Amino acid sequence: MKKFQFLWLFFLLVSVPVVAQDTILVPNFAVATHPFMVNKVSFLKDAFVIELTIENQAPSGYFCASKHIYLQNLQSRKKWYMTHSEGIPVCPDVYHFRWQGEKLTFKLYFPPLDSNIRYVDVIEKCKEHCFSIFGLILDRTMNDAVNKGYDAFDHGDYANAYQEFKKAIDENPAYPYGFLYANIIKVLLAEKNYDEARIWYQKLQKSNLLDKKAVLEDVSKEKGFEMLQK
């Protein structure tokens, strides 16, 4: 599995612990429009906070955050608008990166969220170069399953990797993004279980997942993919 893929192929494939009742470190998400790392999300009494790091990939890049950023519940479509930010200029003011590869860490503050909200999109509303983070997972159990899947894959334990990714899918049928399907197919291709991989590939093809086209394209680049066409 690849650790990062940019834009619609930006899958976070790392194994991280979930700590404390009010904080999740490096929560998983489906895709992002910019090279973000979500460092943590915190459920505070008076706010919900997302800490992000962005890495500059241009020789003379710059970045800012609109004051019009919101979270959207992927199930109810309810929105929560950002109250303020820290560590990042508000557009039209900008932060000018000093070198390519420089990283900038900042925080976005929103009204407090109920702990039963399982996943959200983070959307910046602006005129151009707006950023989004799609399918940010806030559910502790789902994150735990995904992280166990990555850890098992890293150790060559394909059976457990398959079970954990499948658990995350089965227990979260409303999650509308497809990176978990891609992960399962990659696991099955790695162990050369082409018959089962073909079944999951067909499930992905027939799904209504929002990023289906991009996920199918990503899977098509995997070693052994040609066996799914037979």
Side-chain angles (χ1 to χ4, degrees):
M1 292 184 185
K2 299 176 182 177
K3 281 195 173 182
F4 296 100
Q5 289 190 308
F6 188 45
L7 296 178
W8 282 103
L9 303 181
F10 192 110
F11 301 134
L12 182 62
L13 304 184
V14 295
S15 177
V16 295
V18 174
V19 299
Q21 288 193 340
D22 60 352
T23 298
I24 301 176
L25 296 181
V26 198
N28 296 281
F29 60 91
V31 290
T33 55
H34 290 60
F36 282 123
M37 170 71 76
V38 183
N39 302 323
K40 62 182 178 180
V41 295
S42 299
F43 293 84
L44 307 180
K45 183 177 180 179
D46 58 351
F48 175 75
V49 187
I50 304 177
E51 182 181 288
L52 299 164
T53 294
I54 187 169
E55 180 175 350
N56 177 41
Q57 296 186 341
S60 57
Y62 62 90
F63 192 69
C64 65
S66 167
K67 61 182 178 180
H68 304 295
I69 300 173
Y70 64 88
L71 307 176
Q72 183 160 281
N73 188 330
L74 296 182
Q75 294 172 293
S76 70
R77 314 308 291 176
K78 180 178 179 179
K79 297 178 181 179
W80 296 266
Y81 282 86
M82 184 181 72
T83 57
H84 66 284
S85 59
E86 288 182 358
I88 183 73
V90 176
C91 305
D93 295 333
V94 298
Y95 178 84
H96 291 277
F97 289 102
R98 292 165 290 180
W99 63 84
Q100 192 168 353
E102 181 186 0
K103 296 179 180 180
L104 176 67
T105 297
F106 59 98
K107 294 181 180 180
L108 308 177
Y109 288 78
F110 300 87
L113 297 185
D114 293 334
S115 59
N116 62 353
I117 295 175
R118 303 173 69 84
Y119 15 79
V120 295
D121 286 338
V122 185
I123 307 293
E124 180 185 31
K125 187 177 180 181
C126 63
K127 291 184 179 179
E128 59 182 4
H129 308 305
C130 307
F131 72 79
S132 298
I133 300 170
F134 297 99
L136 179 61
I137 299 173
L138 308 182
D139 180 74
R140 200 170 301 279
T141 302
M142 185 177 180
N143 266 304
D144 185 55
V146 175
N147 291 334
K148 286 181 179 178
Y150 293 141
D151 185 65
F153 185 89
D154 289 343
H155 289 86
D157 186 354
Y158 300 134
N160 276 327
Y162 172 86
Q163 290 301 326
E164 294 296 342
F165 290 137
K166 184 176 183 297
K167 176 183 176 183
I169 291 174
D170 290 345
E171 294 183 355
N172 299 276
Y175 189 72
Y177 297 103
F179 79 99
L180 292 171
Y181 285 78
N183 289 350
I184 282 184
I185 294 168
K186 292 174 184 180
V187 168
L188 294 168
L189 288 176
E191 62 180 355
K192 298 183 180 180
N193 187 345
Y194 301 122
D195 290 340
E196 189 70 15
R198 190 177 300 110
I199 291 171
W200 279 94
Y201 182 71
Q202 291 170 350
K203 286 182 181 180
L204 178 58
Q205 287 180 309
K206 296 175 182 177
S207 74
N208 294 318
L209 296 167
L210 299 178
D211 56 345
K212 178 173 68 174
K213 182 178 179 180
V215 176
L216 287 169
E217 182 179 351
D218 177 59
V219 170
S220 72
K221 300 173 184 177
E222 289 297 307
K223 182 179 180 180
F225 171 76
E226 65 278 2
M227 300 298 294
L228 306 187
Q229 307 298 301
K230 295 183 178 181

